[in-house]
Amino acid sequence: MQEAHEAFKTAVYDARTGVQTFYDKLVDHAQNMAMYLDEFTIQETFLDGIPAEMCHALIRDNNLSPEVNTVTKFLAYAIRYEQSAHTATHYDQRSSHRTQGHRQPVK
């Protein structure tokens, strides 16, 4: 049980696996504890663990508030944020290839 608590406290977000995996790890560790953590503690750990720019975007751009919205609401918007970031990166890369004189086929 102590291992689950330590694993919960030390869980980290990894951009390669994404925000859903980070959240799943937190919940999994919380479920393995002798006393399941309250939602606010899970939410606080989730928000502290995601990248600052993502957290700021969720609060500022999506008007989410830890006092009002659930951690699953934050998760849903964080997934959208990641998807948007991946799409923007893709088109930024395509755009930079076009400006260098390379033509990409339209798919």
Side-chain angles (χ1 to χ4, degrees):
M1 300 295 172
Q2 183 64 27
E3 297 87 22
H5 186 263
E6 194 58 36
F8 179 84
K9 288 187 344 184
T10 59
V12 293
Y13 169 84
D14 182 343
R16 292 172 296 161
T17 56
V19 71
Q20 179 71 58
T21 299
F22 175 58
Y23 172 78
D24 291 343
K25 282 183 193 176
L26 290 177
V27 171
D28 187 50
H29 296 317
Q31 288 175 338
N32 290 326
M33 292 183 194
M35 290 186 64
Y36 190 74
L37 297 173
D38 61 284
E39 183 172 335
F40 190 76
T41 301
I42 295 170
Q43 181 177 19
E44 208 169 46
T45 304
F46 176 79
L47 293 175
D48 289 344
I50 62 176
E53 62 274 6
M54 182 188 298
C55 185
H56 293 159
L58 298 178
I59 293 168
R60 184 180 45 244
D61 301 340
N62 295 293
N63 299 315
L64 297 179
S65 170
E67 291 80 19
V68 176
N69 302 105
T70 64
V71 66
T72 54
K73 181 77 127 187
F74 273 94
L75 173 63
Y77 279 89
I79 290 169
R80 289 183 199 163
Y81 177 92
E82 281 183 330
Q83 291 169 340
S84 295
H86 290 304
T87 301
T89 299
H90 170 75
Y91 282 99
D92 286 347
Q93 290 170 347
R94 286 176 50 101
S95 178
S96 70
H97 285 301
R98 281 195 299 262
T99 59
Q100 295 172 359
H102 300 96
R103 291 195 52 102
Q104 294 287 328
V106 177
K107 295 183 183 183

